[in-house]
Amino acid sequence: MTSTVEEAFSVRPIDPHLRQQLLILFLGTSALDSNVIGWTRYDGTGLSRPTMGDSDEPPYATGLDALMDGWRLIQMSQLLPHQPGHEYDVSYLPYEFVFERLVEVSA
Amino acid sequence: MTALVDRKHLMGSVEMAHFVSHGSFALEAVVPDSMNQRAIEVLDAGIPGYPYGTPLDEAFPTGTFVRELLDLPPVAGALQSLVGPGPVIDHHAVHIRPPRGGEAQNMHGDAILDTRTDAFDVQLMYYPRDVTLEQGGTLSVPGTHLRRINQTGIGRYQNLAGQTRLVCPAGTVVFLHHGIWHGGRRNDSDVPRYMFKIRFNPTVRQLRLWNTDDIDDPAVLKELTARFGWTSANEGRLELVNRAKLWRTLTGDQLFDIDNYLTREQLRPQFVAPGATDVRLGSSRSGAGWNL
């Protein structure tokens, strides 16, 4: 007996009291312990609304500091080779590290 | 604006180098109070649009408020220094952010990814009222203008080290390179925030348009090598290379360099030294075939 996709995906999760907070750090190099040069936050609890230009000081000095404060690293950017002839091109920030933590919300 | 601006009102080389590294040039409180008072009524009434590429004289003829703004000597001097005489209007817009209103924009670059390296547009931003931190003035990130991104592709960047949250007195005019990363912040104050913007396209080659009398001032190189929080590590040297390339374009000096990066890259001598080894020595026979 199968259910519809809508029914299957409306099942109550086993952890309905948890929400994800995301911290994205842009670091100076590909090393986790290099300096934070950019930072972004998304609050899955809905209790706050981080937004562009909301702070001039980074929440952590390095990516490692975030790890030591309990954030879990879930992704770091790949190191991609430079295309010949485009070695000096500059574009999006290359060293992106995505962290998460799960926090309690009231039911 | 078709008439050339007196040389004494043009930007100097140090100021132009500042624009090349920062992507902006600000004239604080350059507009007289009497004009700032009139500006609100003008901006509230709106300013009609024009097709892309409309000559400045046609879009803003003598006698209009905007023309009066553009004819202020420091404003006219900066504009001529950056895009030359006779620029055309790309587009313009009045932005009024209501009190306690609106969401912050995501960080972005205007228009789309712009591939030009030998020309640039400038955006004039005029603030007729004081802009406080609470009012959420324009945020821009110095030094990002040479990075090739497509509009809101950078929307994920909420804050970058070294960013500038604009705070300025009434009557401030800021010129921005078209590529700079920026966004309008949320207005958390009880007063509306006013900003009038015009984007200009050059109609001449952007070569030595400013007053170059101070071209050999050591402060030029100091400006060109300015570092910002977000350039503090691996990204910094690539920025220096790209600034050197832009300075070459603006000055016509194809030998200009910063820290020898471009010069070293060109060192590929083709002359074979007299003492070079016989070309046959060290050659391998394996190319002749398997097991030969």
Side-chain angles (χ1 to χ4, degrees), chain B residues 155-181:
Chain B
R156 189 183 299 168
Y157 304 156
Q158 287 178 350
N159 297 282
L160 295 179
Q163 65 194 12
T164 300
R165 298 193 279 183
L166 181 74
V167 173
C168 67
T172 293
V173 172
V174 181
F175 291 91
L176 296 174
H177 185 288
H178 70 247
I180 201 161
W181 298 2

mmCIF file of all heavy atoms in Angstrom, chain B residues 155-181:
data_model
loop_
_atom_site.group_PDB
_atom_site.id
_atom_site.type_symbol
_atom_site.label_atom_id
_atom_site.label_comp_id
_atom_site.label_asym_id
_atom_site.label_seq_id
_atom_site.Cartn_x
_atom_site.Cartn_y
_atom_site.Cartn_z
ATOM 1 N N GLY B 155 23.670 37.578 -3.429
ATOM 2 C CA GLY B 155 22.638 37.843 -2.417
ATOM 3 C C GLY B 155 22.879 37.095 -1.118
ATOM 4 O O GLY B 155 22.333 37.449 -0.078
ATOM 5 N N ARG B 156 23.685 36.047 -1.165
ATOM 6 C CA ARG B 156 23.997 35.263 0.033
ATOM 7 C C ARG B 156 24.983 35.986 0.956
ATOM 8 O O ARG B 156 25.125 35.625 2.120
ATOM 9 C CB ARG B 156 24.580 33.925 -0.398
ATOM 10 C CG ARG B 156 24.751 32.928 0.707
ATOM 11 C CD ARG B 156 25.405 31.661 0.212
ATOM 12 N NE ARG B 156 24.611 31.003 -0.812
ATOM 13 C CZ ARG B 156 25.064 29.998 -1.578
ATOM 14 N NH1 ARG B 156 26.280 29.555 -1.428
ATOM 15 N NH2 ARG B 156 24.290 29.458 -2.488
ATOM 16 N N TYR B 157 25.657 36.999 0.463
ATOM 17 C CA TYR B 157 26.633 37.701 1.298
ATOM 18 C C TYR B 157 25.924 38.791 2.097
ATOM 19 O O TYR B 157 25.614 39.855 1.586
ATOM 20 C CB TYR B 157 27.709 38.358 0.427
ATOM 21 C CG TYR B 157 28.449 37.427 -0.504
ATOM 22 C CD1 TYR B 157 29.055 37.914 -1.654
ATOM 23 C CD2 TYR B 157 28.556 36.075 -0.239
ATOM 24 C CE1 TYR B 157 29.745 37.076 -2.517
ATOM 25 C CE2 TYR B 157 29.238 35.222 -1.090
ATOM 26 C CZ TYR B 157 29.824 35.727 -2.227
ATOM 27 O OH TYR B 157 30.492 34.891 -3.076
ATOM 28 N N GLN B 158 25.673 38.520 3.371
ATOM 29 C CA GLN B 158 25.004 39.547 4.184
ATOM 30 C C GLN B 158 25.969 40.627 4.661
ATOM 31 O O GLN B 158 25.613 41.803 4.701
ATOM 32 C CB GLN B 158 24.328 38.891 5.390
ATOM 33 C CG GLN B 158 23.075 38.099 5.035
ATOM 34 C CD GLN B 158 22.458 37.426 6.241
ATOM 35 O OE1 GLN B 158 23.046 37.392 7.318
ATOM 36 N NE2 GLN B 158 21.272 36.868 6.059
ATOM 37 N N ASN B 159 27.163 40.218 5.034
ATOM 38 C CA ASN B 159 28.151 41.183 5.546
ATOM 39 C C ASN B 159 29.542 40.793 5.093
ATOM 40 O O ASN B 159 29.896 39.611 5.136
ATOM 41 C CB ASN B 159 28.143 41.187 7.080
ATOM 42 C CG ASN B 159 26.812 41.634 7.654
ATOM 43 O OD1 ASN B 159 26.515 42.825 7.688
ATOM 44 N ND2 ASN B 159 26.003 40.680 8.086
ATOM 45 N N LEU B 160 30.318 41.757 4.674
ATOM 46 C CA LEU B 160 31.710 41.508 4.315
ATOM 47 C C LEU B 160 32.602 42.440 5.123
ATOM 48 O O LEU B 160 32.259 43.618 5.339
ATOM 49 C CB LEU B 160 31.934 41.741 2.814
ATOM 50 C CG LEU B 160 31.186 40.778 1.881
ATOM 51 C CD1 LEU B 160 31.471 41.124 0.429
ATOM 52 C CD2 LEU B 160 31.582 39.344 2.163
ATOM 53 N N ALA B 161 33.729 41.907 5.565
ATOM 54 C CA ALA B 161 34.654 42.705 6.365
ATOM 55 C C ALA B 161 35.115 43.915 5.548
ATOM 56 O O ALA B 161 35.531 43.770 4.401
ATOM 57 C CB ALA B 161 35.848 41.849 6.765
ATOM 58 N N GLY B 162 35.018 45.088 6.146
ATOM 59 C CA GLY B 162 35.421 46.311 5.456
ATOM 60 C C GLY B 162 34.291 47.002 4.727
ATOM 61 O O GLY B 162 34.515 48.009 4.052
ATOM 62 N N GLN B 163 33.083 46.472 4.870
ATOM 63 C CA GLN B 163 31.937 47.098 4.196
ATOM 64 C C GLN B 163 31.698 48.507 4.738
ATOM 65 O O GLN B 163 32.080 48.831 5.861
ATOM 66 C CB GLN B 163 30.686 46.251 4.392
ATOM 67 C CG GLN B 163 30.213 46.169 5.839
ATOM 68 C CD GLN B 163 29.185 45.066 6.060
ATOM 69 O OE1 GLN B 163 28.974 44.225 5.203
ATOM 70 N NE2 GLN B 163 28.543 45.060 7.213
ATOM 71 N N THR B 164 31.031 49.317 3.928
ATOM 72 C CA THR B 164 30.718 50.689 4.334
ATOM 73 C C THR B 164 29.210 50.855 4.404
ATOM 74 O O THR B 164 28.518 50.710 3.401
ATOM 75 C CB THR B 164 31.275 51.699 3.312
ATOM 76 O OG1 THR B 164 32.687 51.542 3.231
ATOM 77 C CG2 THR B 164 30.960 53.119 3.743
ATOM 78 N N ARG B 165 28.737 51.119 5.622
ATOM 79 C CA ARG B 165 27.320 51.468 5.760
ATOM 80 C C ARG B 165 27.244 52.988 5.726
ATOM 81 O O ARG B 165 27.648 53.652 6.676
ATOM 82 C CB ARG B 165 26.780 50.886 7.068
ATOM 83 C CG ARG B 165 26.861 49.371 7.092
ATOM 84 C CD ARG B 165 26.055 48.778 8.214
ATOM 85 N NE ARG B 165 26.746 48.819 9.480
ATOM 86 C CZ ARG B 165 26.251 48.306 10.614
ATOM 87 N NH1 ARG B 165 25.073 47.730 10.599
ATOM 88 N NH2 ARG B 165 26.927 48.361 11.734
ATOM 89 N N LEU B 166 26.726 53.503 4.629
ATOM 90 C CA LEU B 166 26.822 54.939 4.392
ATOM 91 C C LEU B 166 26.141 55.760 5.486
ATOM 92 O O LEU B 166 24.977 55.561 5.793
ATOM 93 C CB LEU B 166 26.202 55.299 3.039
ATOM 94 C CG LEU B 166 26.287 56.787 2.708
ATOM 95 C CD1 LEU B 166 27.714 57.174 2.331
ATOM 96 C CD2 LEU B 166 25.335 57.167 1.587
ATOM 97 N N VAL B 167 26.903 56.675 6.021
ATOM 98 C CA VAL B 167 26.398 57.708 6.916
ATOM 99 C C VAL B 167 26.967 59.004 6.374
ATOM 100 O O VAL B 167 28.181 59.104 6.165
ATOM 101 C CB VAL B 167 26.880 57.487 8.369
ATOM 102 C CG1 VAL B 167 26.502 58.649 9.245
ATOM 103 C CG2 VAL B 167 26.321 56.185 8.920
ATOM 104 N N CYS B 168 26.101 59.978 6.090
ATOM 105 C CA CYS B 168 26.632 61.193 5.456
ATOM 106 C C CYS B 168 25.745 62.383 5.763
ATOM 107 O O CYS B 168 24.564 62.234 6.069
ATOM 108 C CB CYS B 168 26.757 60.986 3.951
ATOM 109 S SG CYS B 168 25.191 60.818 3.084
ATOM 110 N N PRO B 169 26.323 63.587 5.679
ATOM 111 C CA PRO B 169 25.516 64.795 5.863
ATOM 112 C C PRO B 169 24.685 65.092 4.615
ATOM 113 O O PRO B 169 24.967 64.576 3.527
ATOM 114 C CB PRO B 169 26.571 65.883 6.097
ATOM 115 C CG PRO B 169 27.808 65.375 5.425
ATOM 116 C CD PRO B 169 27.746 63.873 5.511
ATOM 117 N N ALA B 170 23.671 65.922 4.811
ATOM 118 C CA ALA B 170 22.821 66.327 3.687
ATOM 119 C C ALA B 170 23.662 66.950 2.586
ATOM 120 O O ALA B 170 24.655 67.628 2.852
ATOM 121 C CB ALA B 170 21.770 67.319 4.182
ATOM 122 N N GLY B 171 23.262 66.700 1.357
ATOM 123 C CA GLY B 171 23.963 67.313 0.234
ATOM 124 C C GLY B 171 25.174 66.542 -0.233
ATOM 125 O O GLY B 171 26.010 67.063 -0.954
ATOM 126 N N THR B 172 25.247 65.288 0.178
ATOM 127 C CA THR B 172 26.393 64.459 -0.235
ATOM 128 C C THR B 172 26.116 63.809 -1.591
ATOM 129 O O THR B 172 24.996 63.356 -1.857
ATOM 130 C CB THR B 172 26.675 63.384 0.834
ATOM 131 O OG1 THR B 172 27.136 64.043 2.019
ATOM 132 C CG2 THR B 172 27.737 62.387 0.351
ATOM 133 N N VAL B 173 27.139 63.795 -2.423
ATOM 134 C CA VAL B 173 27.068 63.125 -3.719
ATOM 135 C C VAL B 173 28.165 62.067 -3.749
ATOM 136 O O VAL B 173 29.322 62.346 -3.432
ATOM 137 C CB VAL B 173 27.265 64.121 -4.884
ATOM 138 C CG1 VAL B 173 27.391 63.371 -6.225
ATOM 139 C CG2 VAL B 173 26.109 65.105 -4.945
ATOM 140 N N VAL B 174 27.788 60.839 -4.080
ATOM 141 C CA VAL B 174 28.749 59.743 -4.164
ATOM 142 C C VAL B 174 28.753 59.217 -5.594
ATOM 143 O O VAL B 174 27.690 59.016 -6.191
ATOM 144 C CB VAL B 174 28.380 58.605 -3.186
ATOM 145 C CG1 VAL B 174 29.405 57.474 -3.281
ATOM 146 C CG2 VAL B 174 28.295 59.123 -1.756
ATOM 147 N N PHE B 175 29.946 59.012 -6.127
ATOM 148 C CA PHE B 175 30.082 58.389 -7.444
ATOM 149 C C PHE B 175 30.560 56.957 -7.245
ATOM 150 O O PHE B 175 31.543 56.719 -6.536
ATOM 151 C CB PHE B 175 31.102 59.149 -8.300
ATOM 152 C CG PHE B 175 30.643 60.514 -8.709
ATOM 153 C CD1 PHE B 175 30.935 61.620 -7.921
ATOM 154 C CD2 PHE B 175 29.911 60.705 -9.874
ATOM 155 C CE1 PHE B 175 30.506 62.885 -8.284
ATOM 156 C CE2 PHE B 175 29.479 61.962 -10.247
ATOM 157 C CZ PHE B 175 29.782 63.063 -9.449
ATOM 158 N N LEU B 176 29.871 56.025 -7.877
ATOM 159 C CA LEU B 176 30.221 54.611 -7.739
ATOM 160 C C LEU B 176 30.565 54.006 -9.095
ATOM 161 O O LEU B 176 29.913 54.307 -10.098
ATOM 162 C CB LEU B 176 29.043 53.826 -7.153
ATOM 163 C CG LEU B 176 28.603 54.174 -5.725
ATOM 164 C CD1 LEU B 176 27.323 53.406 -5.378
ATOM 165 C CD2 LEU B 176 29.705 53.850 -4.733
ATOM 166 N N HIS B 177 31.568 53.156 -9.117
ATOM 167 C CA HIS B 177 31.835 52.327 -10.297
ATOM 168 C C HIS B 177 30.650 51.382 -10.473
ATOM 169 O O HIS B 177 30.114 50.863 -9.491
ATOM 170 C CB HIS B 177 33.123 51.539 -10.059
ATOM 171 C CG HIS B 177 33.598 50.728 -11.223
ATOM 172 N ND1 HIS B 177 32.964 49.589 -11.640
ATOM 173 C CD2 HIS B 177 34.662 50.887 -12.064
ATOM 174 C CE1 HIS B 177 33.615 49.067 -12.684
ATOM 175 N NE2 HIS B 177 34.647 49.846 -12.963
ATOM 176 N N HIS B 178 30.265 51.125 -11.714
ATOM 177 C CA HIS B 178 29.039 50.359 -11.937
ATOM 178 C C HIS B 178 29.095 48.953 -11.330
ATOM 179 O O HIS B 178 28.069 48.344 -11.074
ATOM 180 C CB HIS B 178 28.738 50.257 -13.433
ATOM 181 C CG HIS B 178 29.698 49.388 -14.201
ATOM 182 N ND1 HIS B 178 30.577 49.872 -15.144
ATOM 183 C CD2 HIS B 178 29.926 48.060 -14.160
ATOM 184 C CE1 HIS B 178 31.286 48.872 -15.631
ATOM 185 N NE2 HIS B 178 30.925 47.761 -15.059
ATOM 186 N N GLY B 179 30.291 48.431 -11.113
ATOM 187 C CA GLY B 179 30.401 47.040 -10.679
ATOM 188 C C GLY B 179 30.386 46.831 -9.178
ATOM 189 O O GLY B 179 30.451 45.687 -8.718
ATOM 190 N N ILE B 180 30.286 47.902 -8.406
ATOM 191 C CA ILE B 180 30.468 47.738 -6.956
ATOM 192 C C ILE B 180 29.322 46.933 -6.336
ATOM 193 O O ILE B 180 28.173 47.039 -6.759
ATOM 194 C CB ILE B 180 30.621 49.115 -6.271
ATOM 195 C CG1 ILE B 180 31.317 48.962 -4.917
ATOM 196 C CG2 ILE B 180 29.265 49.797 -6.115
ATOM 197 C CD1 ILE B 180 31.905 50.249 -4.379
ATOM 198 N N TRP B 181 29.674 46.120 -5.363
ATOM 199 C CA TRP B 181 28.675 45.332 -4.630
ATOM 200 C C TRP B 181 28.016 46.248 -3.608
ATOM 201 O O TRP B 181 28.699 46.910 -2.810
ATOM 202 C CB TRP B 181 29.333 44.156 -3.906
ATOM 203 C CG TRP B 181 30.000 43.163 -4.812
ATOM 204 C CD1 TRP B 181 30.110 43.230 -6.172
ATOM 205 C CD2 TRP B 181 30.641 41.949 -4.416
ATOM 206 N NE1 TRP B 181 30.788 42.128 -6.645
ATOM 207 C CE2 TRP B 181 31.119 41.332 -5.589
ATOM 208 C CE3 TRP B 181 30.854 41.328 -3.188
ATOM 209 C CZ2 TRP B 181 31.806 40.117 -5.568
ATOM 210 C CZ3 TRP B 181 31.539 40.118 -3.158
ATOM 211 C CH2 TRP B 181 31.991 39.524 -4.335
#
